[in-house]
Amino acid sequence: MKYWNKTYECMSREDLKKLQLDRLKSTVERVYSHVPFYREKLQELGVGPEDIISLDDVRRLPFTYKDDLRDNYPYGLLAEPLSQIVRVQASSGTTGKPVCDGYTRNDLAMWSECVARGLVMAGADTTSVIHNSYGYGLFTGGTGVHGGAERIGCSCIPMSSGNTARQIMLMRDFKATHLTCTPSYASYLGEAFRDAGVDTAELPLKAGLFGAEPWSENMRKAIEKSLNIKAYDIYGMCEICGPGVAVECEKQDGLHFWEDFFLFEIINPETGEQLPDGEIGELVITTLTKEGMPLLRYRTHDLTYIIDEPCECGRTHRRIARLQGRTDDMMVIRGVNVFPTQVESALLDIGSVEPQYQLIVTREGKLDDLEIKVELSEDFNLSSIPELEALQKRMRDRIHSVIGIKAKITLVEPKSLPRSEGKAKRVLDLREI
Ligand code: DLL
């Protein structure tokens, strides 16, 4: 088994917890003395740094919400003067003011350590060529993977997103061994290779690290097949550092989150109460070493659960399950909670379609309607009406049994839905509520 940093990745649980407690105490001290926003919040709750005696005391700390970051935009939550901040990045939101983060030199070192651990789990070493198609810019995908790849000493190709024809040419020419991009773009690249008549089995490409948006296990299978690689899940967000907060190991059974740098809790999003391991809820993250913008109990809105079982890979850091969606991208249709990934999984299970779909929600009077547009595979016999109708029926039935809603299934021609180069936009909610 290969590790990037075995001492830390395989540290005993006991030592890891001690380290976490020390780091939690210094984080609380740091924000108490350097960030007026936190000092006020802590004072309101009557909690001081001296009250952190065990890891359970994290529950006494205040939550931090995305709106707190917006209200203190851009530098209000920094715990260091700008002279110590060496980089500022922002979330990928396209409207309004972004949510941003400022990193010190040590923060960037922590971040590249997280990504390096992940890249090594996906088989990377100094001989690897990382074709990095995450966007470079304010979005953390490009620079985040880049930092980890350079840390290891891989050859990193800073492609960024866009210009798909050029991407596939350079992947071949530069002999990429690893691809990093969103899962939706990976699936588009698979299609582009096929259209260009390239047999992906002949490429040196071995693995990919895909994240920044929710994706299903069936999407993983589709990408692994079309690109002939192993596809790993990588998770993170700008407010914490960027990609690498949690990454899958070679067992591909949950994402290890780096407990020497972060404290994870799962809470009931309604009540704020902590939930036991194994129960699904909202992920809340406290940073343990961050200097630039340390965060206490950051409400991610992402839904998952903690897997507290030893992993065969030998790493002692616990895992979270594949992200199930966000509390805010859950659609409520006719009172039923629906996540786009549930629909994705059901559609791909049936086959004969591409991992390209769109959910359109409308409201007629008081009733919601869900239309699912899904693209047929090129090898499907488009001229056979009975086959098309049978496929439509199978999909309608499957969707009904998975989400409990009778959706209208519209099968569309191959390549007719818009492709995404970054985070895919799968839902069009046209209801005026
Ligand atoms: O998406 C950072 C990133 C870049 C992660 C590249 C992985 C790879 P933001 O733009 O701040 O940062 O968006 C963060 O994206 O709260 C999740 O809702 C979602 N997300 C990120 N990774 C995954 C994943 C980057 N693996 C938000 N699965 C997060 C599901 C993900 N959702």
Side-chain angles (χ1 to χ4, degrees):
M1 198 68 71
K2 278 201 192 152
Y3 304 100
W4 167 248
N5 186 342
K6 192 169 181 201
T7 313
Y8 279 89
E9 288 173 61
C10 301
M11 194 179 231
S12 76
R13 292 288 315 158
E14 203 183 325
D15 288 348
L16 201 45
K17 283 188 180 163
K18 270 194 216 134
L19 186 67
Q20 283 192 308
L21 182 58
D22 283 349
R23 291 182 167 179
L24 179 63
K25 284 180 184 166
S26 23
T27 297
V28 177
E29 268 160 29
R30 169 181 291 275
V31 297
Y32 196 87
S33 53
H34 288 80
V35 188
F37 165 85
Y38 276 125
R39 189 166 42 247
E40 275 168 34
K41 283 226 167 193
L42 288 162
Q43 280 170 348
E44 268 168 34
L45 292 168
V47 183
E50 65 288 352
D51 293 312
I52 305 300
I53 294 165
S54 77
L55 284 174
D56 282 341
D57 291 323
V58 71
R59 295 183 215 193
R60 305 184 61 182
L61 301 175
F63 287 124
T64 309
Y65 299 88
K66 204 174 261 231
D67 276 347
D68 296 326
L69 270 66
R70 292 211 175 96
D71 294 346
N72 290 282
Y73 172 86
Y75 297 142
L77 292 184
L78 293 187
E80 289 289 334
L82 275 183
S83 58
Q84 298 305 307
I85 300 296
V86 295
R87 183 158 348 135
V88 176
Q89 303 224 221
S91 71
S92 39
T94 46
T95 51
K97 302 268 191 207
V99 166
C100 65
D101 193 353
Y103 313 84
T104 64
R105 229 175 265 288
N106 285 336
D107 293 338
L108 292 186
M110 175 276 282
W111 181 11
S112 61
E113 164 80 22
C114 292
V115 177
R117 291 180 190 177
L119 284 167
V120 169
M121 297 199 290
D125 59 24
T126 51
T127 65
S128 305
V129 177
I130 314 288
H131 184 98
N132 188 13
S133 305
Y134 283 117
Y136 280 67
L138 283 177
F139 172 57
T140 53
T143 51
V145 167
H146 194 106
E150 279 195 351
R151 177 90 175 244
I152 296 175
C154 308
S155 312
C156 186
I157 317 297
M159 267 315 288
S160 205
S161 51
N163 200 342
T164 302
R166 194 171 168 75
Q167 299 258 358
I168 64 170
M169 176 184 89
L170 294 186
M171 272 171 87
R172 292 172 83 183
D173 295 351
F174 294 164
K175 304 187 173 33
T177 57
H178 290 73
L179 169 66
T180 51
C181 60
T182 56
S184 49
Y185 196 48
S187 101
Y188 183 21
L189 285 170
E191 179 179 299
F193 273 119
R194 195 180 59 205
D195 291 350
V198 178
D199 178 3
T200 47
E202 280 161 19
L203 300 174
L205 199 63
K206 287 191 295 217
L209 288 94
F210 307 121
E213 64 185 5
W215 54 312
S216 64
E217 196 54 40
N218 280 339
M219 176 69 117
R220 186 212 305 269
K221 286 187 201 136
I223 294 172
E224 290 192 329
K225 189 160 169 244
S226 74
L227 286 172
N228 196 38
I229 56 170
K230 240 179 130 169
Y232 294 88
D233 199 351
I234 179 164
Y235 167 77
M237 75 281 293
C238 154
E239 305 88 303
I240 301 298
C241 57
V245 174
V247 202
E248 263 182 350
C249 68
E250 41 283 66
K251 299 291 161 201
Q252 293 183 308
D253 184 18
L255 296 84
H256 290 277
F257 53 96
W258 303 123
E259 296 192 76
D260 46 342
F261 299 131
F262 315 111
L263 194 68
F264 272 30
E265 300 168 74
I266 301 291
I267 63 157
N268 174 331
E270 311 286 320
T271 64
E273 290 296 309
Q274 261 187 13
L275 293 172
D277 291 344
E279 260 183 55
I280 190 163
E282 180 180 345
L283 174 64
V284 169
I285 305 180
T286 300
T287 63
L288 295 176
T289 62
K290 262 181 87 183
E291 299 175 339
M293 197 176 83
L295 292 179
L296 301 183
R297 308 193 82 197
Y298 183 62
R299 301 280 300 251
T300 66
H301 285 297
D302 290 320
L303 295 168
T304 181
Y305 58 89
I306 291 183
I307 305 171
D308 184 22
E309 285 158 22
C311 182
E312 281 174 38
C313 75
R315 290 176 185 85
T316 49
H317 299 242
R318 291 177 302 162
R319 286 165 288 157
I320 46 168
R322 168 187 286 288
L323 282 291
Q324 324 271 313
R326 293 176 57 79
T327 48
D328 43 11
D329 69 27
M330 181 183 82
M331 298 173 287
V332 182
I333 303 174
R334 299 193 181 182
V336 179
N337 299 347
V338 179
F339 289 102
T341 45
Q342 287 176 300
V343 174
E344 173 181 296
S345 194
L347 296 175
L348 293 180
D349 232 5
I350 292 193
S352 305
V353 290
E354 294 296 316
Q356 300 292 348
Y357 61 96
Q358 214 171 44
L359 311 185
I360 302 157
V361 197
T362 48
R363 176 168 286 181
E364 187 81 28
K366 280 199 165 48
L367 221 50
D368 298 330
D369 281 313
L370 172 64
E371 176 185 2
I372 303 173
K373 282 192 179 167
V374 56
E375 230 181 72
L376 287 161
S377 302
E378 278 187 321
D379 39 20
F380 191 84
N381 179 6
L382 283 173
S383 57
S384 163
I385 304 284
E387 275 182 46
L388 281 169
E389 282 176 352
L391 179 63
Q392 225 167 5
K393 179 169 183 332
R394 274 207 304 283
M395 291 197 162
R396 209 169 28 238
D397 292 348
R398 172 63 64 91
I399 295 291
H400 189 204
S401 75
V402 172
I403 60 174
I405 290 174
K406 286 193 177 135
K408 175 178 174 206
I409 308 286
T410 309
L411 298 169
V412 300
E413 287 194 21
K415 304 221 170 54
S416 57
L417 292 178
R419 300 296 190 256
S420 133
E421 293 169 348
K423 301 193 188 221
K425 188 158 172 29
R426 307 281 193 199
V427 181
L428 219 62
D429 195 337
L430 304 175
R431 290 174 293 186
E432 280 164 19
I433 300 178

